[in-house]
Amino acid sequence: MIILAIDTSCDETAAAVTEEIRILSNIIWSQASLHAKFGGVYPTLAKRMHQERIDWVIGKAITNSKTQISSLDAVAVTIGPGLAPALEVGIKYAIKLTKKYNKPLIPVNHVEGHLFSPLARPKNSQSPISNFQLPTSKLFPCLGLVVSGGTTQLILAKDLGKYKILANTIDDALGEALDKGARLLGLGYPGGAVLEKIARLHNVSAKQFQENTYSLPLPMLGRENEGKFSYSGLKTALARTVSKIKNQKGSLSKSDIQELASTYQDVAFSHLIRIISNTIYHLPFTIHHLLVSGGVASNLTLRKKIRKMAKELNITPLFPYSKKLCTDNAAMIGVCAFLKTKRPSAIIKPKLASKIDRAPKFSIEDVL
Ligand code: KG4
């Protein structure tokens, strides 16, 4: 089953060709640098840039996959959650292709796409995923942790299309919190990856020389049972600490920035782990796999913490095989669409394709 997948949910124009769970091509054109001066994604600019680039991105995905549009079995597209003007560009294009080439359309939830991204395999891979074949009863029920710029959710996947959010953020998403923290430290936008790099510098020197000077409060302490992540208080605490240092010394030194980056990242991840481990510990049934995805899943410090927790809880964590599958991409949409083909109701006939619309607030719990 060969699928052309399209995702324009935020600031990446993305297209991919997948064959079942294998990725034949994965093209991403990021607009992040264009939005940097706004400190976040500017929706009308995102729409315009998607319109300008989508032809090229899809053409390149087809060429790199060494397939032809005529040999595709279906077109998949993200319908939400995301920015409405941005989603519209990908959906319109997918409908156009569906009608022109008489291919079925598979609408996909962006978070469901992230959820299954650890199952994607490279083009030449023959091997089954980890220690189970797909799709199989061995995977479900499983847990998914999606940590990106817009989502921080711990999801129980009882089966394909049967999802329950066990823990969700009540304010900022983890990636958003890291981006805001990086901005407060003058590290630019988006800042998650830079923050990781700067934090590592502190961790290396801290081992040899220093004691920590600054501390930041752990969110939701004593409220781990509530199934809530919260990052706005941590961000405010960092903002206060930064302005206190600036008042005292005029500016942040290099080592202040490194230590604060490390402390902020560490507290943000510790909070995440505490809530997840508490939730897993109290589940009334056994879970074997935790699928970890989203832009923040490429962070090595976070992966280390998750592996440690998983060992203690006797579960196997699975991560996407490359960083390109963590941040927004269309390959994960193609893989998810393939899994969805097991449920005929997920496939839309070409003549009904124009009924598909944007769903900017599409919750994974509403996926059919
Ligand atoms: O999945 P993604 O593209 O989602 C959304 O756009 O919603 O993820 C982007 C997020 C950004 O917040 C970015 O700072 C964060 O993922 N990110 C990282 C790393 N790489 C990207 N956060 C921590 N460590 C990284 N290495």
Side-chain angles (χ1 to χ4, degrees), residues 97-117:
L97 289 177
T98 298
K99 288 189 166 165
K100 184 167 173 194
Y101 296 97
N102 197 33
K103 306 285 178 193
L105 182 68
I106 307 174
V108 177
N109 176 292
H110 182 78
V111 178
E112 193 185 16
H114 273 303
L115 179 70
F116 292 116
S117 59

mmCIF file with all atom_site columns, all heavy atoms in Angstrom, residues 97-117:
data_model
loop_
_atom_site.group_PDB
_atom_site.id
_atom_site.type_symbol
_atom_site.label_atom_id
_atom_site.label_alt_id
_atom_site.label_comp_id
_atom_site.label_asym_id
_atom_site.label_entity_id
_atom_site.label_seq_id
_atom_site.pdbx_PDB_ins_code
_atom_site.Cartn_x
_atom_site.Cartn_y
_atom_site.Cartn_z
_atom_site.occupancy
_atom_site.B_iso_or_equiv
_atom_site.pdbx_formal_charge
_atom_site.auth_seq_id
_atom_site.auth_comp_id
_atom_site.auth_asym_id
_atom_site.auth_atom_id
_atom_site.pdbx_PDB_model_num
ATOM 1   N N   . LEU A 1 97  ? -5.850  16.395 -5.664  1.00 0.00 ? 97  LEU A N   1
ATOM 2   C CA  . LEU A 1 97  ? -5.154  15.185 -6.166  1.00 0.00 ? 97  LEU A CA  1
ATOM 3   C C   . LEU A 1 97  ? -6.084  13.973 -6.184  1.00 0.00 ? 97  LEU A C   1
ATOM 4   O O   . LEU A 1 97  ? -6.100  13.180 -7.119  1.00 0.00 ? 97  LEU A O   1
ATOM 5   C CB  . LEU A 1 97  ? -3.943  14.863 -5.283  1.00 0.00 ? 97  LEU A CB  1
ATOM 6   C CG  . LEU A 1 97  ? -2.739  15.791 -5.377  1.00 0.00 ? 97  LEU A CG  1
ATOM 7   C CD1 . LEU A 1 97  ? -1.668  15.349 -4.388  1.00 0.00 ? 97  LEU A CD1 1
ATOM 8   C CD2 . LEU A 1 97  ? -2.178  15.798 -6.789  1.00 0.00 ? 97  LEU A CD2 1
ATOM 9   N N   . THR A 1 98  ? -6.853  13.851 -5.093  1.00 0.00 ? 98  THR A N   1
ATOM 10  C CA  . THR A 1 98  ? -7.786  12.732 -4.950  1.00 0.00 ? 98  THR A CA  1
ATOM 11  C C   . THR A 1 98  ? -8.751  12.670 -6.133  1.00 0.00 ? 98  THR A C   1
ATOM 12  O O   . THR A 1 98  ? -8.997  11.617 -6.703  1.00 0.00 ? 98  THR A O   1
ATOM 13  C CB  . THR A 1 98  ? -8.581  12.949 -3.642  1.00 0.00 ? 98  THR A CB  1
ATOM 14  O OG1 . THR A 1 98  ? -7.678  12.934 -2.573  1.00 0.00 ? 98  THR A OG1 1
ATOM 15  C CG2 . THR A 1 98  ? -9.610  11.892 -3.414  1.00 0.00 ? 98  THR A CG2 1
ATOM 16  N N   . LYS A 1 99  ? -9.276  13.854 -6.487  1.00 0.00 ? 99  LYS A N   1
ATOM 17  C CA  . LYS A 1 99  ? -10.259 13.915 -7.579  1.00 0.00 ? 99  LYS A CA  1
ATOM 18  C C   . LYS A 1 99  ? -9.593  13.695 -8.928  1.00 0.00 ? 99  LYS A C   1
ATOM 19  O O   . LYS A 1 99  ? -10.070 12.932 -9.763  1.00 0.00 ? 99  LYS A O   1
ATOM 20  C CB  . LYS A 1 99  ? -10.969 15.268 -7.557  1.00 0.00 ? 99  LYS A CB  1
ATOM 21  C CG  . LYS A 1 99  ? -11.919 15.366 -6.378  1.00 0.00 ? 99  LYS A CG  1
ATOM 22  C CD  . LYS A 1 99  ? -12.756 16.586 -6.499  1.00 0.00 ? 99  LYS A CD  1
ATOM 23  C CE  . LYS A 1 99  ? -13.931 16.512 -5.540  1.00 0.00 ? 99  LYS A CE  1
ATOM 24  N NZ  . LYS A 1 99  ? -14.547 17.799 -5.396  1.00 0.00 ? 99  LYS A NZ  1
ATOM 25  N N   . LYS A 1 100 ? -8.447  14.361 -9.129  1.00 0.00 ? 100 LYS A N   1
ATOM 26  C CA  . LYS A 1 100 ? -7.774  14.285 -10.422 1.00 0.00 ? 100 LYS A CA  1
ATOM 27  C C   . LYS A 1 100 ? -7.326  12.857 -10.749 1.00 0.00 ? 100 LYS A C   1
ATOM 28  O O   . LYS A 1 100 ? -7.455  12.391 -11.870 1.00 0.00 ? 100 LYS A O   1
ATOM 29  C CB  . LYS A 1 100 ? -6.577  15.239 -10.400 1.00 0.00 ? 100 LYS A CB  1
ATOM 30  C CG  . LYS A 1 100 ? -5.838  15.322 -11.716 1.00 0.00 ? 100 LYS A CG  1
ATOM 31  C CD  . LYS A 1 100 ? -4.881  16.496 -11.717 1.00 0.00 ? 100 LYS A CD  1
ATOM 32  C CE  . LYS A 1 100 ? -4.030  16.452 -12.981 1.00 0.00 ? 100 LYS A CE  1
ATOM 33  N NZ  . LYS A 1 100 ? -2.893  17.343 -12.889 1.00 0.00 ? 100 LYS A NZ  1
ATOM 34  N N   . TYR A 1 101 ? -6.804  12.151 -9.737  1.00 0.00 ? 101 TYR A N   1
ATOM 35  C CA  . TYR A 1 101 ? -6.246  10.806 -9.998  1.00 0.00 ? 101 TYR A CA  1
ATOM 36  C C   . TYR A 1 101 ? -7.152  9.686  -9.504  1.00 0.00 ? 101 TYR A C   1
ATOM 37  O O   . TYR A 1 101 ? -6.757  8.527  -9.503  1.00 0.00 ? 101 TYR A O   1
ATOM 38  C CB  . TYR A 1 101 ? -4.852  10.688 -9.365  1.00 0.00 ? 101 TYR A CB  1
ATOM 39  C CG  . TYR A 1 101 ? -3.862  11.647 -9.992  1.00 0.00 ? 101 TYR A CG  1
ATOM 40  C CD1 . TYR A 1 101 ? -3.583  12.876 -9.394  1.00 0.00 ? 101 TYR A CD1 1
ATOM 41  C CD2 . TYR A 1 101 ? -3.236  11.342 -11.198 1.00 0.00 ? 101 TYR A CD2 1
ATOM 42  C CE1 . TYR A 1 101 ? -2.693  13.770 -9.972  1.00 0.00 ? 101 TYR A CE1 1
ATOM 43  C CE2 . TYR A 1 101 ? -2.346  12.227 -11.783 1.00 0.00 ? 101 TYR A CE2 1
ATOM 44  C CZ  . TYR A 1 101 ? -2.078  13.438 -11.174 1.00 0.00 ? 101 TYR A CZ  1
ATOM 45  O OH  . TYR A 1 101 ? -1.198  14.323 -11.757 1.00 0.00 ? 101 TYR A OH  1
ATOM 46  N N   . ASN A 1 102 ? -8.334  10.045 -9.044  1.00 0.00 ? 102 ASN A N   1
ATOM 47  C CA  . ASN A 1 102 ? -9.311  9.060  -8.576  1.00 0.00 ? 102 ASN A CA  1
ATOM 48  C C   . ASN A 1 102 ? -8.742  8.132  -7.491  1.00 0.00 ? 102 ASN A C   1
ATOM 49  O O   . ASN A 1 102 ? -8.801  6.906  -7.593  1.00 0.00 ? 102 ASN A O   1
ATOM 50  C CB  . ASN A 1 102 ? -9.831  8.239  -9.774  1.00 0.00 ? 102 ASN A CB  1
ATOM 51  C CG  . ASN A 1 102 ? -11.107 7.518  -9.423  1.00 0.00 ? 102 ASN A CG  1
ATOM 52  O OD1 . ASN A 1 102 ? -11.912 8.026  -8.631  1.00 0.00 ? 102 ASN A OD1 1
ATOM 53  N ND2 . ASN A 1 102 ? -11.292 6.328  -9.969  1.00 0.00 ? 102 ASN A ND2 1
ATOM 54  N N   . LYS A 1 103 ? -8.168  8.761  -6.472  1.00 0.00 ? 103 LYS A N   1
ATOM 55  C CA  . LYS A 1 103 ? -7.579  7.999  -5.355  1.00 0.00 ? 103 LYS A CA  1
ATOM 56  C C   . LYS A 1 103 ? -8.397  8.243  -4.096  1.00 0.00 ? 103 LYS A C   1
ATOM 57  O O   . LYS A 1 103 ? -8.898  9.358  -3.892  1.00 0.00 ? 103 LYS A O   1
ATOM 58  C CB  . LYS A 1 103 ? -6.142  8.479  -5.064  1.00 0.00 ? 103 LYS A CB  1
ATOM 59  C CG  . LYS A 1 103 ? -5.211  8.479  -6.252  1.00 0.00 ? 103 LYS A CG  1
ATOM 60  C CD  . LYS A 1 103 ? -4.789  7.087  -6.604  1.00 0.00 ? 103 LYS A CD  1
ATOM 61  C CE  . LYS A 1 103 ? -3.896  7.073  -7.824  1.00 0.00 ? 103 LYS A CE  1
ATOM 62  N NZ  . LYS A 1 103 ? -3.703  5.745  -8.365  1.00 0.00 ? 103 LYS A NZ  1
ATOM 63  N N   . PRO A 1 104 ? -8.494  7.252  -3.209  1.00 0.00 ? 104 PRO A N   1
ATOM 64  C CA  . PRO A 1 104 ? -9.187  7.507  -1.935  1.00 0.00 ? 104 PRO A CA  1
ATOM 65  C C   . PRO A 1 104 ? -8.403  8.491  -1.064  1.00 0.00 ? 104 PRO A C   1
ATOM 66  O O   . PRO A 1 104 ? -7.184  8.626  -1.218  1.00 0.00 ? 104 PRO A O   1
ATOM 67  C CB  . PRO A 1 104 ? -9.245  6.134  -1.274  1.00 0.00 ? 104 PRO A CB  1
ATOM 68  C CG  . PRO A 1 104 ? -8.374  5.239  -2.049  1.00 0.00 ? 104 PRO A CG  1
ATOM 69  C CD  . PRO A 1 104 ? -8.011  5.887  -3.342  1.00 0.00 ? 104 PRO A CD  1
ATOM 70  N N   . LEU A 1 105 ? -9.115  9.133  -0.154  1.00 0.00 ? 105 LEU A N   1
ATOM 71  C CA  . LEU A 1 105 ? -8.490  10.111 0.750   1.00 0.00 ? 105 LEU A CA  1
ATOM 72  C C   . LEU A 1 105 ? -8.579  9.594  2.191   1.00 0.00 ? 105 LEU A C   1
ATOM 73  O O   . LEU A 1 105 ? -9.628  9.089  2.602   1.00 0.00 ? 105 LEU A O   1
ATOM 74  C CB  . LEU A 1 105 ? -9.233  11.453 0.631   1.00 0.00 ? 105 LEU A CB  1
ATOM 75  C CG  . LEU A 1 105 ? -8.680  12.618 1.464   1.00 0.00 ? 105 LEU A CG  1
ATOM 76  C CD1 . LEU A 1 105 ? -7.313  13.060 0.967   1.00 0.00 ? 105 LEU A CD1 1
ATOM 77  C CD2 . LEU A 1 105 ? -9.625  13.809 1.427   1.00 0.00 ? 105 LEU A CD2 1
ATOM 78  N N   . ILE A 1 106 ? -7.476  9.730  2.913   1.00 0.00 ? 106 ILE A N   1
ATOM 79  C CA  . ILE A 1 106 ? -7.497  9.304  4.330   1.00 0.00 ? 106 ILE A CA  1
ATOM 80  C C   . ILE A 1 106 ? -7.190  10.521 5.208   1.00 0.00 ? 106 ILE A C   1
ATOM 81  O O   . ILE A 1 106 ? -6.050  10.988 5.244   1.00 0.00 ? 106 ILE A O   1
ATOM 82  C CB  . ILE A 1 106 ? -6.466  8.174  4.594   1.00 0.00 ? 106 ILE A CB  1
ATOM 83  C CG1 . ILE A 1 106 ? -6.678  7.031  3.590   1.00 0.00 ? 106 ILE A CG1 1
ATOM 84  C CG2 . ILE A 1 106 ? -6.568  7.678  6.036   1.00 0.00 ? 106 ILE A CG2 1
ATOM 85  C CD1 . ILE A 1 106 ? -5.637  5.933  3.666   1.00 0.00 ? 106 ILE A CD1 1
ATOM 86  N N   . PRO A 1 107 ? -8.207  11.059 5.894   1.00 0.00 ? 107 PRO A N   1
ATOM 87  C CA  . PRO A 1 107 ? -7.953  12.189 6.793   1.00 0.00 ? 107 PRO A CA  1
ATOM 88  C C   . PRO A 1 107 ? -7.291  11.695 8.082   1.00 0.00 ? 107 PRO A C   1
ATOM 89  O O   . PRO A 1 107 ? -7.693  10.661 8.611   1.00 0.00 ? 107 PRO A O   1
ATOM 90  C CB  . PRO A 1 107 ? -9.349  12.744 7.100   1.00 0.00 ? 107 PRO A CB  1
ATOM 91  C CG  . PRO A 1 107 ? -10.324 11.873 6.373   1.00 0.00 ? 107 PRO A CG  1
ATOM 92  C CD  . PRO A 1 107 ? -9.621  10.664 5.884   1.00 0.00 ? 107 PRO A CD  1
ATOM 93  N N   . VAL A 1 108 ? -6.292  12.422 8.549   1.00 0.00 ? 108 VAL A N   1
ATOM 94  C CA  . VAL A 1 108 ? -5.539  11.956 9.723   1.00 0.00 ? 108 VAL A CA  1
ATOM 95  C C   . VAL A 1 108 ? -5.465  13.054 10.780  1.00 0.00 ? 108 VAL A C   1
ATOM 96  O O   . VAL A 1 108 ? -5.326  14.232 10.464  1.00 0.00 ? 108 VAL A O   1
ATOM 97  C CB  . VAL A 1 108 ? -4.107  11.514 9.304   1.00 0.00 ? 108 VAL A CB  1
ATOM 98  C CG1 . VAL A 1 108 ? -3.279  11.087 10.511  1.00 0.00 ? 108 VAL A CG1 1
ATOM 99  C CG2 . VAL A 1 108 ? -4.170  10.372 8.288   1.00 0.00 ? 108 VAL A CG2 1
ATOM 100 N N   . ASN A 1 109 ? -5.554  12.635 12.036  1.00 0.00 ? 109 ASN A N   1
ATOM 101 C CA  . ASN A 1 109 ? -5.344  13.531 13.174  1.00 0.00 ? 109 ASN A CA  1
ATOM 102 C C   . ASN A 1 109 ? -3.827  13.656 13.385  1.00 0.00 ? 109 ASN A C   1
ATOM 103 O O   . ASN A 1 109 ? -3.113  12.648 13.453  1.00 0.00 ? 109 ASN A O   1
ATOM 104 C CB  . ASN A 1 109 ? -6.026  12.924 14.415  1.00 0.00 ? 109 ASN A CB  1
ATOM 105 C CG  . ASN A 1 109 ? -5.782  13.721 15.672  1.00 0.00 ? 109 ASN A CG  1
ATOM 106 O OD1 . ASN A 1 109 ? -4.668  13.783 16.175  1.00 0.00 ? 109 ASN A OD1 1
ATOM 107 N ND2 . ASN A 1 109 ? -6.832  14.330 16.203  1.00 0.00 ? 109 ASN A ND2 1
ATOM 108 N N   . HIS A 1 110 ? -3.358  14.895 13.492  1.00 0.00 ? 110 HIS A N   1
ATOM 109 C CA  . HIS A 1 110 ? -1.914  15.150 13.601  1.00 0.00 ? 110 HIS A CA  1
ATOM 110 C C   . HIS A 1 110 ? -1.292  14.467 14.839  1.00 0.00 ? 110 HIS A C   1
ATOM 111 O O   . HIS A 1 110 ? -0.190  13.909 14.759  1.00 0.00 ? 110 HIS A O   1
ATOM 112 C CB  . HIS A 1 110 ? -1.715  16.670 13.669  1.00 0.00 ? 110 HIS A CB  1
ATOM 113 C CG  . HIS A 1 110 ? -0.300  17.117 13.735  1.00 0.00 ? 110 HIS A CG  1
ATOM 114 N ND1 . HIS A 1 110 ? 0.527   17.166 12.638  1.00 0.00 ? 110 HIS A ND1 1
ATOM 115 C CD2 . HIS A 1 110 ? 0.453   17.534 14.780  1.00 0.00 ? 110 HIS A CD2 1
ATOM 116 C CE1 . HIS A 1 110 ? 1.713   17.606 13.004  1.00 0.00 ? 110 HIS A CE1 1
ATOM 117 N NE2 . HIS A 1 110 ? 1.707   17.831 14.305  1.00 0.00 ? 110 HIS A NE2 1
ATOM 118 N N   . VAL A 1 111 ? -2.007  14.490 15.939  1.00 0.00 ? 111 VAL A N   1
ATOM 119 C CA  . VAL A 1 111 ? -1.470  13.882 17.174  1.00 0.00 ? 111 VAL A CA  1
ATOM 120 C C   . VAL A 1 111 ? -1.433  12.354 17.038  1.00 0.00 ? 111 VAL A C   1
ATOM 121 O O   . VAL A 1 111 ? -0.492  11.694 17.493  1.00 0.00 ? 111 VAL A O   1
ATOM 122 C CB  . VAL A 1 111 ? -2.296  14.331 18.411  1.00 0.00 ? 111 VAL A CB  1
ATOM 123 C CG1 . VAL A 1 111 ? -1.783  13.669 19.681  1.00 0.00 ? 111 VAL A CG1 1
ATOM 124 C CG2 . VAL A 1 111 ? -2.234  15.849 18.559  1.00 0.00 ? 111 VAL A CG2 1
ATOM 125 N N   . GLU A 1 112 ? -2.424  11.782 16.357  1.00 0.00 ? 112 GLU A N   1
ATOM 126 C CA  . GLU A 1 112 ? -2.422  10.333 16.106  1.00 0.00 ? 112 GLU A CA  1
ATOM 127 C C   . GLU A 1 112 ? -1.221  9.979  15.208  1.00 0.00 ? 112 GLU A C   1
ATOM 128 O O   . GLU A 1 112 ? -0.596  8.929  15.360  1.00 0.00 ? 112 GLU A O   1
ATOM 129 C CB  . GLU A 1 112 ? -3.745  9.908  15.444  1.00 0.00 ? 112 GLU A CB  1
ATOM 130 C CG  . GLU A 1 112 ? -3.946  8.397  15.430  1.00 0.00 ? 112 GLU A CG  1
ATOM 131 C CD  . GLU A 1 112 ? -5.201  7.968  14.653  1.00 0.00 ? 112 GLU A CD  1
ATOM 132 O OE1 . GLU A 1 112 ? -5.746  8.787  13.886  1.00 0.00 ? 112 GLU A OE1 1
ATOM 133 O OE2 . GLU A 1 112 ? -5.612  6.804  14.800  1.00 0.00 ? 112 GLU A OE2 1
ATOM 134 N N   . GLY A 1 113 ? -0.901  10.888 14.280  1.00 0.00 ? 113 GLY A N   1
ATOM 135 C CA  . GLY A 1 113 ? 0.288   10.706 13.435  1.00 0.00 ? 113 GLY A CA  1
ATOM 136 C C   . GLY A 1 113 ? 1.549   10.642 14.284  1.00 0.00 ? 113 GLY A C   1
ATOM 137 O O   . GLY A 1 113 ? 2.364   9.726  14.175  1.00 0.00 ? 113 GLY A O   1
ATOM 138 N N   . HIS A 1 114 ? 1.709   11.632 15.192  1.00 0.00 ? 114 HIS A N   1
ATOM 139 C CA  . HIS A 1 114 ? 2.872   11.617 16.098  1.00 0.00 ? 114 HIS A CA  1
ATOM 140 C C   . HIS A 1 114 ? 2.897   10.307 16.897  1.00 0.00 ? 114 HIS A C   1
ATOM 141 O O   . HIS A 1 114 ? 3.939   9.672  17.027  1.00 0.00 ? 114 HIS A O   1
ATOM 142 C CB  . HIS A 1 114 ? 2.791   12.783 17.087  1.00 0.00 ? 114 HIS A CB  1
ATOM 143 C CG  . HIS A 1 114 ? 3.387   14.070 16.583  1.00 0.00 ? 114 HIS A CG  1
ATOM 144 N ND1 . HIS A 1 114 ? 4.683   14.189 16.153  1.00 0.00 ? 114 HIS A ND1 1
ATOM 145 C CD2 . HIS A 1 114 ? 2.848   15.311 16.460  1.00 0.00 ? 114 HIS A CD2 1
ATOM 146 C CE1 . HIS A 1 114 ? 4.930   15.438 15.795  1.00 0.00 ? 114 HIS A CE1 1
ATOM 147 N NE2 . HIS A 1 114 ? 3.826   16.145 15.964  1.00 0.00 ? 114 HIS A NE2 1
ATOM 148 N N   . LEU A 1 115 ? 1.734   9.950  17.440  1.00 0.00 ? 115 LEU A N   1
ATOM 149 C CA  . LEU A 1 115 ? 1.626   8.779  18.324  1.00 0.00 ? 115 LEU A CA  1
ATOM 150 C C   . LEU A 1 115 ? 2.296   7.536  17.723  1.00 0.00 ? 115 LEU A C   1
ATOM 151 O O   . LEU A 1 115 ? 3.037   6.832  18.405  1.00 0.00 ? 115 LEU A O   1
ATOM 152 C CB  . LEU A 1 115 ? 0.137   8.515  18.600  1.00 0.00 ? 115 LEU A CB  1
ATOM 153 C CG  . LEU A 1 115 ? -0.210  7.321  19.479  1.00 0.00 ? 115 LEU A CG  1
ATOM 154 C CD1 . LEU A 1 115 ? 0.211   7.575  20.915  1.00 0.00 ? 115 LEU A CD1 1
ATOM 155 C CD2 . LEU A 1 115 ? -1.707  7.042  19.444  1.00 0.00 ? 115 LEU A CD2 1
ATOM 156 N N   . PHE A 1 116 ? 2.035   7.281  16.435  1.00 0.00 ? 116 PHE A N   1
ATOM 157 C CA  . PHE A 1 116 ? 2.558   6.056  15.822  1.00 0.00 ? 116 PHE A CA  1
ATOM 158 C C   . PHE A 1 116 ? 3.901   6.257  15.101  1.00 0.00 ? 116 PHE A C   1
ATOM 159 O O   . PHE A 1 116 ? 4.407   5.312  14.494  1.00 0.00 ? 116 PHE A O   1
ATOM 160 C CB  . PHE A 1 116 ? 1.515   5.468  14.861  1.00 0.00 ? 116 PHE A CB  1
ATOM 161 C CG  . PHE A 1 116 ? 0.300   4.945  15.586  1.00 0.00 ? 116 PHE A CG  1
ATOM 162 C CD1 . PHE A 1 116 ? -0.944  5.512  15.389  1.00 0.00 ? 116 PHE A CD1 1
ATOM 163 C CD2 . PHE A 1 116 ? 0.422   3.907  16.499  1.00 0.00 ? 116 PHE A CD2 1
ATOM 164 C CE1 . PHE A 1 116 ? -2.068  5.046  16.081  1.00 0.00 ? 116 PHE A CE1 1
ATOM 165 C CE2 . PHE A 1 116 ? -0.687  3.434  17.201  1.00 0.00 ? 116 PHE A CE2 1
ATOM 166 C CZ  . PHE A 1 116 ? -1.924  4.006  16.981  1.00 0.00 ? 116 PHE A CZ  1
ATOM 167 N N   . SER A 1 117 ? 4.478   7.472  15.187  1.00 0.00 ? 117 SER A N   1
ATOM 168 C CA  . SER A 1 117 ? 5.743   7.712  14.474  1.00 0.00 ? 117 SER A CA  1
ATOM 169 C C   . SER A 1 117 ? 6.888   6.787  14.925  1.00 0.00 ? 117 SER A C   1
ATOM 170 O O   . SER A 1 117 ? 7.759   6.473  14.110  1.00 0.00 ? 117 SER A O   1
ATOM 171 C CB  . SER A 1 117 ? 6.153   9.187  14.563  1.00 0.00 ? 117 SER A CB  1
ATOM 172 O OG  . SER A 1 117 ? 6.314   9.569  15.913  1.00 0.00 ? 117 SER A OG  1
#
